[in-house]
Amino acid sequence: MAEDNNAWKEALKSESEFRDYITNYFKDHEELTGSYDIPSYYEHYTVRLDSHKGIIITLVTGVQATGGESNLPLPFKQKEVISIEDFRKLILHKKFADQSQTLADVFQTVAGIPSANNDSKDDSKK
């Protein structure tokens, strides 16, 4: 896994290498999902690659029912579209402090999902 972790960081050095890396990543993994859940609130994200639009991040946020609450707002769904190059630039400008971050960690950060000490994060690939 450390080899994969270093591969995406190496690919960041070049626009074409990063495009190839992301394209190949999503050929192998149809989508990347993750979530953040606490008793009163949740956020779930899905990342996929569209050959025409670029990287599509879908974020669903909502409030968990507690007790007898029945008047909860509906979940809020937000979709962001970003080009592969803009995503690469975002990563480069963010200068992630933790050198051990995986690509899934970066997608989580870009989606705006807070970290819960990696306990509630699900970076499973479907």
Side-chain angles (χ1 to χ4, degrees):
M1 187 70 161
E3 193 173 306
D4 288 341
N5 195 24
N6 291 331
W8 78 267
K9 290 176 184 177
E10 279 298 311
L12 277 172
K13 296 176 183 177
S14 160
E15 179 179 347
S16 62
E17 286 181 35
F18 190 70
R19 178 179 312 283
D20 290 345
Y21 181 86
I22 291 295
T23 302
N24 289 330
Y25 179 87
F26 281 104
K27 282 181 186 174
D28 294 339
H29 310 95
E30 188 174 315
E31 64 183 23
L32 176 76
T33 61
S35 64
Y36 172 77
D37 290 289
I38 59 174
S40 61
Y41 179 78
Y42 65 88
E43 296 181 349
H44 303 281
Y45 72 92
T46 303
V47 182
R48 63 183 180 83
L49 182 65
D50 180 286
S51 60
H52 300 291
K53 296 180 182 177
I55 297 171
I56 300 173
I57 301 172
T58 304
L59 180 64
V60 177
T61 59
V63 178
Q64 307 273 27
T66 56
E69 294 180 46
S70 61
N71 227 3
L72 293 174
L74 293 173
F76 177 72
K77 185 175 183 179
Q78 180 179 0
K79 188 181 285 189
E80 295 290 331
V81 179
I82 186 169
S83 73
I84 294 172
E85 178 56 11
D86 285 345
F87 180 60
R88 183 180 83 89
K89 288 177 182 175
L90 182 66
I91 294 170
L92 290 172
H93 294 321
K94 179 71 177 166
K95 303 213 187 308
F96 294 97
D98 184 356
Q99 294 299 315
S100 65
Q101 281 193 314
T102 65
L103 185 60
D105 295 330
V106 174
F107 276 121
Q108 177 176 329
T109 302
V110 170
I113 307 282
S115 176
N117 298 328
N118 296 330
D119 290 340
S120 63
K121 183 179 64 179
D122 173 22
D123 58 345
S124 61
K125 293 108 190 157
K126 293 183 179 176

